[in-house]
């Protein structure tokens, strides 16, 4: 009873002005807290949405560049295999029983060197022909060394059963320090008779030239990256953080799984390093293989502006 009276007496000592000040202060704190919370939530959502949109834009641009790259490769091999020069080389190759990759030396296509130089684009590792007699003719070699093509034929002989363009997935090659992928097309003469196959080998370094970005000023910051993932969940391009990663780093993430199922979207996930990231994912529209493309940036880097805004709100409120 004495304690209750003491509390009542203490409260009565406050004047009307003091009570108004306390009430105003309490109301101000509540109002500031509500406004600050609302501002922080909206700012966070706006920054995350903007980052997701930026990642999606980067992903779509990379996907379009890849699509254009492979479309150009297919068009080039289609034009090459239908040319009279390549048909003549294939016909002469089928008449030669001892070529085995040495046709540069025995003059099979000595008169066609200007045409061959025109198709020697920088992104081709090798260009070669395999005849119906299993003999091979190396037209272009990026490493400038003589190679045996017979092993390559044995690994790709199944392409002879089709009349369509075939693009094989990336795989390691014994004669290259980088994975390569092969575009194959049948060579038919003007009467439609099959003379063999033409092969363009694309080095993975040219895929990385499209995908791998290390400049912070180009839209992906310090921790952002775009990469490709195959049906087996292994990377088909190089990681910004793991080396070597192509065909060796497995991506078992939510984004990878959803993209391989044909879905497209964005999410906050843990990436293949176990780091929390903002992720934009989708499937490539290239019909020759089942790859997906993912663009990501570390959550910590993406949310730096958010927490800067939070600190400014707290400072202004105080």
């Amino acid at each position: 009873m004495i304690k209750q009276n003491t509390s009542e007496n203490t409260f009565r000592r406050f004047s009307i002005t003091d009570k108004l000040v306390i009430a105003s202060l309490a109301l101000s704190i509540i109002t500031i807290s509500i406004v600050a919370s609302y501002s922080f939530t909206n700012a966070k959502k706006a920054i995350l949405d903007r980052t997701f949109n930026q990642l999606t834009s980067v992903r779509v641009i990379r996907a379009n560049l890849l699509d254009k790259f492979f479309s150009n490769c297919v068009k080039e091999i289609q034009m090459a295999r239908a040319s009279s020069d390549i048909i003549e080389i294939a016909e002469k190759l089928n008449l030669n029983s001892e070529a085995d990759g040495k046709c540069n030396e025995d003059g099979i296509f000595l008169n066609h060197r200007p045409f061959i130089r025109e198709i020697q684009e920088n992104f081709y590792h090798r260009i070669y022909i395999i005849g119906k007699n299993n003999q091979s003719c190396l037209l272009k070699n990026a490493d400038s060394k003589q190679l045996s093509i017979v092993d390559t034929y044995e690994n790709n002989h199944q392409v002879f059963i089709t009349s369509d363009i075939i693009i094989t997935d990336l795989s390691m090659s014994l004669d290259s320090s980088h994975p390569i992928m092969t575009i194959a097309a049948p060579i038919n003469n003007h009467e439609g008779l099959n003379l063999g196959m033409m092969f363009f080998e694309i080095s993975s370094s040219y895929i990385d030239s499209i995908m791998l970005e290390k400049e912070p000023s180009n839209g992906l910051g310090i921790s952002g990256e775009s990469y490709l993932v195959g049906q087996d969940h292994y990377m088909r391009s190089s990681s910004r953080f793991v080396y070597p990663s192509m065909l060796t780093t497995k991506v078992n993430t939510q984004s990878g799984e959803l993209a391989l199922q044909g879905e497209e979207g964005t999410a906050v996930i843990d990436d293949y390093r176990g780091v929390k990231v903002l992720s934009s994912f989708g499937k490539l529209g290239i019909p020759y293989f089942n790859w997906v493309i993912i663009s990501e940036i570390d959550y910590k880097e993406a949310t730096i502006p958010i927490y800067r805004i939070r600190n400014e709100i707290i400072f202004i409120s105080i």
Side-chain angles (χ1 to χ4, degrees), residues 225-244:
E225 64 173 341
S226 295
Y227 57 89
L228 302 170
V229 180
Q231 179 67 40
D232 56 2
H233 296 274
Y234 283 97
M235 280 192 175
R236 294 302 193 272
S237 61
S238 294
S239 165
R240 191 173 182 174
F241 307 101
V242 180
Y243 183 84

Side-chain angles (χ1 to χ4, degrees), residues 273-298:
R273 301 168 294 153
V275 176
K276 189 176 182 180
V277 298
L278 304 182
S279 179
S280 176
F281 55 88
K283 199 167 186 178
L284 285 179
I286 303 171
Y288 301 98
F289 38 76
N290 188 18
W291 286 3
V292 300
I293 181 170
I294 301 173
S295 294
E296 295 173 338
I297 189 171
D298 287 7

Side-chain angles (χ1 to χ4, degrees), residues 26-276:
L27 181 62
S28 299
I29 292 174
I30 293 172
T31 304
I32 290 173
S33 299
I34 293 173
V35 172
S37 177
Y38 178 79
S39 301
F40 176 75
T41 302
N42 280 357
K44 182 177 181 179
K45 183 179 183 302
I47 290 174
L48 290 180
D49 287 345
R50 185 194 66 182
T51 305
F52 277 132
N53 290 336
Q54 188 173 355
L55 288 172
T56 300
S57 297
V58 170
R59 173 174 61 82
V60 171
I61 290 171
R62 296 282 194 275
N64 289 338
L65 289 174
L66 283 170
D67 182 65
K68 184 177 181 180
F69 172 77
F70 285 111
S71 295
N72 288 338
C73 290
V74 170
K75 289 178 182 177
E76 190 158 33
I77 197 172
Q78 286 176 331
M79 288 188 294
R81 67 159 175 168
S83 69
S84 57
D85 298 83
I86 295 299
I87 291 174
E88 185 177 350
I89 292 172
E91 288 174 341
K92 290 183 178 180
L93 181 65
N94 285 328
L95 298 175
N96 189 341
S97 61
E98 299 179 354
D100 286 345
K102 299 178 182 179
C103 55
N104 288 352
E105 300 174 4
D106 58 23
I108 286 183
F109 66 95
L110 188 61
N111 296 328
H112 303 282
R113 290 189 184 278
F115 172 78
I116 299 302
R117 281 197 294 268
E118 289 182 7
I119 64 173
Q120 289 185 11
E121 297 291 342
N122 292 332
F123 43 78
Y124 295 130
H125 174 63
R126 292 189 306 183
I127 298 175
Y128 57 92
I129 294 173
I130 298 176
K132 292 291 287 185
N133 58 358
N134 295 346
Q135 298 301 314
S136 57
C137 178
L138 181 64
L139 305 182
K140 187 258 180 182
N141 181 13
D143 296 331
S144 300
K145 59 184 180 182
Q146 190 62 47
L147 303 170
S148 172
I149 315 298
V150 177
D151 291 339
T152 307
Y153 163 73
E154 291 175 352
N155 292 332
N156 295 285
H157 66 278
Q158 68 273 15
V159 299
F160 279 93
I161 66 175
T162 179
S163 59
D164 299 325
I165 299 288
I166 288 179
I167 301 182
T168 63
D169 206 336
L170 278 169
S171 60
M172 292 304 299
S173 174
L174 296 177
D175 56 1
S176 176
S177 58
H178 302 284
I180 59 172
M181 61 192 311
T182 304
I183 302 180
I187 302 172
N188 300 322
N189 62 15
H190 300 296
E191 288 75 33
L193 180 65
N194 181 255
L195 304 174
M197 297 290 291
M198 187 171 196
F199 295 83
F200 283 10
E201 287 183 352
I202 301 173
S203 174
S204 60
S205 60
Y206 299 104
I207 296 176
D208 276 345
S209 68
I210 297 174
M211 296 301 301
L212 192 59
E213 183 59 69
K214 295 184 177 181
E215 292 295 330
S217 59
N218 289 343
L220 287 175
I222 298 173
S223 61
E225 64 173 341
S226 295
Y227 57 89
L228 302 170
V229 180
Q231 179 67 40
D232 56 2
H233 296 274
Y234 283 97
M235 280 192 175
R236 294 302 193 272
S237 61
S238 294
S239 165
R240 191 173 182 174
F241 307 101
V242 180
Y243 183 84
S245 55
M246 193 179 294
L247 298 179
T248 60
T249 299
K250 199 164 189 177
V251 181
N252 285 323
T253 64
Q254 180 185 358
S255 292
E257 290 288 348
L258 292 174
L260 285 170
Q261 293 171 14
E263 297 189 32
E264 182 176 354
T266 58
V268 179
I269 64 164
D270 290 338
D271 70 356
Y272 60 92
R273 301 168 294 153
V275 176
K276 189 176 182 180

